[in-house]
Amino acid sequence: MTSYYRSRPDDVGHRADAATRSEAPPWAARRAPIVVGVDELDRAADAIEWAAAEAASCDRPLRLIHAWTFPAAFDPFGLAPAPDCRFYRATADDILRDAERRARVVAPEVRITAATVPGTAVDVLRHVSKYAHQLVLGAADRRKWLPGRPLAGELARLAICPVTVVRPFSTVPAGPSVARVVVGVGDQAIYEQSRDPDRIDRAVRYAFRAAERRGIGLTAVRGCAIRPNGHTDLSDEDRAILRAELRLLRAVLRNPQRRFPTVTVEPKVLLGKAAVVLTAESAGAALTVVGSHRSRCSFPAARLSDRLPGRVHSPLTIVAQHPTPV
């Protein structure tokens, strides 16, 4: 039986001494892989298949990681025996074995490696993101979405590379951006573009690359909550604001359109809050992309990343505003 357990710090990358190392571990030495955080297989099944297809399309290896910890035991007298880690390792090996089998069905030509890592998912995946091209996570179904901060929200702030959350696929009525990449453009992207006209926002660049690689169009969305929800009557001043917002959005898209001329772009300024607008556009979309700007913006992933993974109907990619390993 193949064991996926690894304990070397240069491999798992969760110890403090490994965090200070500048060289990439062996599994990321040649080309940064797409890393999938595997939890429960029924929740991560669609994420594994999506990541395998993504790795095949961009010619990158696939890395499956399962983080596990010992269950906490209340033992005030110190009489309980030490837990047997072999059971947890065997269970983790079974989960990864099934995950690897599922990934190979989708992309048999992709180089796939796997490892179980002792530690919390946040700590393990945060460090792995230093060497990964992209992190992919599964998300619970919307009906099972629990209050509190999900893993995607934590990693959106801590990870170096883009984080993609793949909810279990379900049938929903088609939205206006079917089979297109949807990208949310916020105030921060517009502000930075006004300071540097040659700059391309990282989330926008990621969305254009994804659309070009898939051979599909892109919808750039900007939310404008100038009226309460449900109010559609616009004054002349409101229409002037919408036209000004559309000009700003087109200015942000001008440089990436020159760099990716084969991608057809549809800019949209929609009435409503960011989460509502993106949820509506994501129905039937191939991918939804937002940036992890932490200052004021219409699409602040620092807040939306806690809510969008349980709302959007397509895979959601949160792009950090940090250099991504290549």
Side-chain angles (χ1 to χ4, degrees), residues 136-221:
V136 181
L137 309 172
D141 185 77
R142 184 188 308 177
R143 292 168 296 181
K144 300 178 181 178
W145 201 251
L146 300 178
R149 190 174 303 282
L151 178 62
E154 293 288 344
L155 290 176
R157 283 176 290 276
L158 300 175
I160 301 299
C161 65
V163 178
T164 299
V165 183
V166 182
R167 290 185 57 239
F169 294 121
S170 59
T171 303
V172 295
S177 296
V178 176
R180 297 175 67 89
V181 174
V182 177
V183 58
V185 180
D187 292 345
Q188 187 68 18
I190 290 177
Y191 170 73
E192 293 177 357
Q193 193 276 337
S194 66
R195 296 183 59 187
D196 183 5
D198 296 329
R199 184 184 183 277
I200 299 179
D201 183 76
R202 292 184 182 275
V204 174
R205 182 190 294 111
Y206 181 96
F208 268 85
R209 285 177 176 170
E212 182 184 54
R213 189 171 65 251
R214 290 167 170 82
I216 58 179
L218 180 143
T219 302
V221 180

Side-chain angles (χ1 to χ4, degrees), residues 9-13 21 23-30 63 127-128 131:
D10 61 337
D11 186 30
V12 301
R21 298 171 64 95
E23 66 273 14
W27 49 266
R30 293 185 177 180
R63 178 75 166 173
H127 184 82
V128 167
Y131 312 110

Side-chain angles (χ1 to χ4, degrees), residues 1-321:
M1 180 179 67
T2 303
S3 175
Y4 295 96
Y5 180 72
R6 300 289 186 273
S7 59
R8 297 194 306 265
D10 61 337
D11 186 30
V12 301
H14 73 284
R15 296 184 181 177
D17 56 344
T20 62
R21 298 171 64 95
S22 58
E23 66 273 14
W27 49 266
R30 293 185 177 180
R31 190 165 172 81
I34 292 177
V35 176
V36 186
V38 180
D39 191 4
E40 300 174 3
L41 193 60
D42 57 344
R43 190 169 69 178
D46 290 326
I48 294 169
E49 294 178 358
W50 187 90
E54 188 76 1
S57 67
C58 59
D59 191 25
R60 289 185 179 275
L62 182 67
R63 178 75 166 173
L64 307 174
I65 290 184
H66 176 75
W68 59 275
T69 56
F70 290 114
F74 180 72
D75 182 26
F77 301 103
L79 301 178
D84 186 359
C85 66
R86 290 176 297 179
F87 169 77
Y88 302 102
R89 292 180 184 177
T91 303
D93 284 351
D94 291 340
I95 293 175
L96 274 188
R97 189 175 296 106
D98 293 339
E100 183 176 353
R101 187 181 302 113
R102 182 179 291 269
R104 291 194 184 280
V105 171
V106 176
E109 73 282 4
V110 172
R111 179 175 177 267
I112 302 176
T113 58
T116 59
V117 182
T120 65
V122 171
D123 291 340
V124 171
L125 295 178
R126 177 182 59 183
H127 184 82
V128 167
S129 72
K130 298 178 182 179
Y131 312 110
H133 173 72
Q134 185 173 357
L135 286 181
V136 181
L137 309 172
D141 185 77
R142 184 188 308 177
R143 292 168 296 181
K144 300 178 181 178
W145 201 251
L146 300 178
R149 190 174 303 282
L151 178 62
E154 293 288 344
L155 290 176
R157 283 176 290 276
L158 300 175
I160 301 299
C161 65
V163 178
T164 299
V165 183
V166 182
R167 290 185 57 239
F169 294 121
S170 59
T171 303
V172 295
S177 296
V178 176
R180 297 175 67 89
V181 174
V182 177
V183 58
V185 180
D187 292 345
Q188 187 68 18
I190 290 177
Y191 170 73
E192 293 177 357
Q193 193 276 337
S194 66
R195 296 183 59 187
D196 183 5
D198 296 329
R199 184 184 183 277
I200 299 179
D201 183 76
R202 292 184 182 275
V204 174
R205 182 190 294 111
Y206 181 96
F208 268 85
R209 285 177 176 170
E212 182 184 54
R213 189 171 65 251
R214 290 167 170 82
I216 58 179
L218 180 143
T219 302
V221 180
R222 179 162 169 78
C224 189
I226 58 178
R227 289 290 179 182
N229 292 337
H231 289 258
T232 58
D233 296 334
L234 299 178
S235 64
D236 293 339
E237 183 181 357
D238 294 336
R239 293 187 178 90
I241 293 175
L242 293 178
R243 288 193 296 268
E245 293 287 344
L246 185 58
R247 286 195 297 269
L248 293 173
L249 177 57
R250 286 173 174 166
V252 172
L253 300 175
R254 190 174 297 118
N255 286 333
Q257 282 183 284
R258 294 171 180 170
R259 184 168 180 178
F260 302 92
T262 60
V263 178
T264 59
V265 181
E266 181 182 3
K268 288 184 178 182
V269 176
L270 303 175
L271 292 175
K273 296 182 179 180
V276 176
V277 167
L278 281 177
T279 299
E281 288 291 326
S282 69
L287 180 68
T288 302
V289 182
V290 295
S292 61
H293 302 288
R294 291 168 176 80
S295 58
R296 59 186 187 280
C297 58
S298 299
F299 293 93
R303 295 194 300 267
L304 287 182
S305 59
D306 294 339
R307 295 175 290 167
L308 283 180
R311 294 189 178 189
V312 295
H313 305 290
S314 70
L316 170 69
T317 298
I318 305 169
V319 182
Q321 300 304 302

